[in-house]
Amino acid sequence: MKRVEVAASGRYEVLIGSGLLSRAGVLVREALPKAEKIAVISESTVFPLYGAALCETLERAGFEVCEYVLPAGEASKNGENLLKILNFLAENRLTRSDAAAALGGGMVGDITGFAAACYLRGIACVQIPTTLLAAVDSSVGGKTAIDLTCGKNLAGAFCQPARVICDPDALGTLPESVFTDGCAEVIKYGVLRDPVLFSHLEERGRSFELEYVLERCVSIKRDYVCADEFDNGARRQLNLGHTLGHAVEANSNFELSHGSCVAIGLAVVARAAAARGICTHECAGRIVSLLEKFGLPVKTDAPMDALYGHMLSDKKRLGGTVNIIVPEEIGRCRVLPLAVEAAREFMEAGL
Ligand code: GLY
């Protein structure tokens, strides 16, 4: 088992290892010695696979367990379901020393984390990610959220989990397209900070060594979170590929998957950086080729006018400036602050 320690406002460990799900009870008990009740929040495709085993191991560790299952899909990450979860916690009389456990992908992790942050002004939350995307990104770092009618993740709170338990075996049962989606974020970490990880992905393609890759991605994310927990500076680098990616995603009415859009965003920004001499054409070529090797898209047909409109409503925009994260070489990136019109021209150079 690999352990990654996160020393943010709450200190916690991310545990990564095959078979951890079946002994999650003991691992949750270690982190929450005083909790009596735990509410397992999950969704309709994941709970039938792992719910019974999780509830059983939690009960063996002495927890009184109740479970709430949301319909699968991003559409469930809304205010109505947040209230339903809060009422469920209240009906089951969870107290300040009790906890919630999120079993699922990013949707479940985000809404459960937000419910835990709100209920009684904050109870503990354990994250048990079952998608690659959640394992390498959303389960770590304490960003919780729901979507509003005007956009994704527009309401939320920073609230670090009490522990993250990641069992790579659970990721093995993912549909191919869901796994591929997570690979875009994995490639992002290589471009951001880790040439060795990037080369490993180039050599091994989709048969990369899962535990090693999970540990590297989580460690890189941990470093950004510890440097800038509340996302005012360094953590924004995690947004590599996301400025244009979010615009492509919104422009497709969220029909295109997040990972596909991040891949397009990464490819565009890499080509644009090469066109401006920020990185070499060889570096941009390696990024685009690796995305293609994983079956991810690297181009969009969406018109720049439409993408520009969505870029302007990006919640990370600061006044008249868009901070674009650009690669300088594999493993090193920097922030390029551009006025919005200049950001449009920059992106156009990479389309
Ligand atoms: N997903 C980006 C972050 O956690 O900051």
Side-chain angles (χ1 to χ4, degrees):
M1 172 171 72
K2 297 184 192 304
R3 284 175 193 261
V4 179
E5 249 198 78
V6 185
S9 53
R11 286 181 95 88
Y12 58 97
E13 284 179 325
V14 181
L15 308 180
I16 302 162
S18 175
L20 289 192
L21 203 57
S22 61
R23 52 192 190 94
V26 183
L27 303 171
V28 174
R29 178 53 80 201
E30 265 174 27
L32 301 170
K34 296 209 176 96
E36 289 174 7
K37 293 183 185 170
I38 192 156
V40 173
I41 316 294
S42 190
E43 50 97 309
S44 51
T45 55
V46 170
F47 194 78
L49 294 175
Y50 309 114
L54 177 63
C55 293
E56 197 185 300
T57 169
L58 288 168
E59 276 162 0
R60 274 204 310 272
F63 292 103
E64 191 183 316
V65 182
C66 53
E67 66 254 8
Y68 190 91
V69 181
L70 294 158
E74 181 70 16
S76 284
K77 210 174 89 179
N78 58 36
E80 198 184 323
N81 281 331
L82 175 69
L83 270 182
K84 285 184 182 164
I85 295 171
L86 292 173
N87 278 313
F88 174 78
L89 299 177
E91 281 154 17
N92 283 280
R93 300 190 194 290
L94 270 77
T95 69
R96 291 285 297 275
S97 55
D98 293 326
L103 173 70
M107 180 279 281
V108 168
D110 283 3
I111 195 169
T112 306
F114 194 25
C118 300
Y119 181 66
L120 303 179
R121 300 197 181 88
I123 62 169
C125 181
V126 175
Q127 293 282 345
I128 308 177
T130 60
T131 64
L132 182 58
L133 193 64
V136 298
D137 185 22
S138 56
S139 64
V140 181
K143 280 190 183 174
T144 72
I146 55 166
D147 302 333
L148 300 183
T149 326
C150 286
K152 272 180 80 172
N153 296 333
L154 290 187
F158 285 98
C159 182
Q160 299 297 333
R163 185 159 262 193
V164 182
I165 299 171
C166 175
D167 184 340
D169 298 348
L171 314 186
T173 56
L174 292 178
E176 193 78 352
S177 61
V178 180
F179 189 79
T180 302
D181 221 39
C183 292
E185 296 282 350
V186 169
I187 293 169
K188 177 192 84 174
Y189 286 109
V191 178
L192 269 178
R193 282 281 284 275
D194 195 336
V196 177
L197 168 64
F198 193 91
S199 299
H200 176 80
L201 298 171
E202 284 181 320
E203 275 157 31
R204 301 279 291 265
R206 295 173 68 92
S207 47
F208 57 81
E209 209 185 297
L210 190 50
E211 269 194 40
Y212 156 73
V213 167
L214 290 169
E215 194 258 342
R216 282 309 304 140
C217 294
V218 169
S219 300
I220 294 168
K221 175 143 193 191
R222 179 268 319 273
D223 293 344
Y224 283 108
V225 169
C226 292
D228 174 29
E229 179 174 356
F230 299 106
D231 206 13
N232 295 310
R235 186 169 179 169
R236 296 211 182 114
Q237 290 213 14
L238 293 171
N239 221 29
L240 173 66
H242 286 60
T243 309
L244 192 84
H246 281 150
V248 174
E249 199 176 356
N251 190 61
S252 76
N253 280 323
F254 298 94
E255 273 168 27
L256 275 176
S257 70
H258 180 69
S260 296
C261 297
V262 169
I264 293 167
L266 258 171
V268 170
V269 94
R271 287 191 292 255
R276 292 283 169 96
I278 296 169
C279 69
T280 61
H281 287 283
E282 191 242 338
C283 166
R286 281 179 74 191
I287 295 170
V288 173
S289 301
L290 186 57
L291 293 164
E292 285 176 324
K293 184 170 184 152
F294 276 78
L296 286 157
V298 293
K299 282 194 166 71
T300 175
D301 294 333
M304 192 60 208
D305 280 343
L307 297 180
Y308 182 59
H310 290 292
M311 263 166 57
L312 291 185
S313 48
D314 192 302
K315 65 181 181 304
K316 303 240 164 132
R317 182 163 69 89
L318 294 174
T321 304
V322 181
N323 286 309
I324 300 175
I325 317 305
V326 289
E328 293 182 313
E329 60 184 28
I330 302 297
R332 187 156 55 88
C333 291
R334 73 171 157 97
V335 181
L336 180 68
L338 288 175
V340 284
E341 232 345 282
R344 175 190 173 126
E345 282 166 24
F346 179 83
M347 292 301 189
E348 264 168 344
L351 281 177

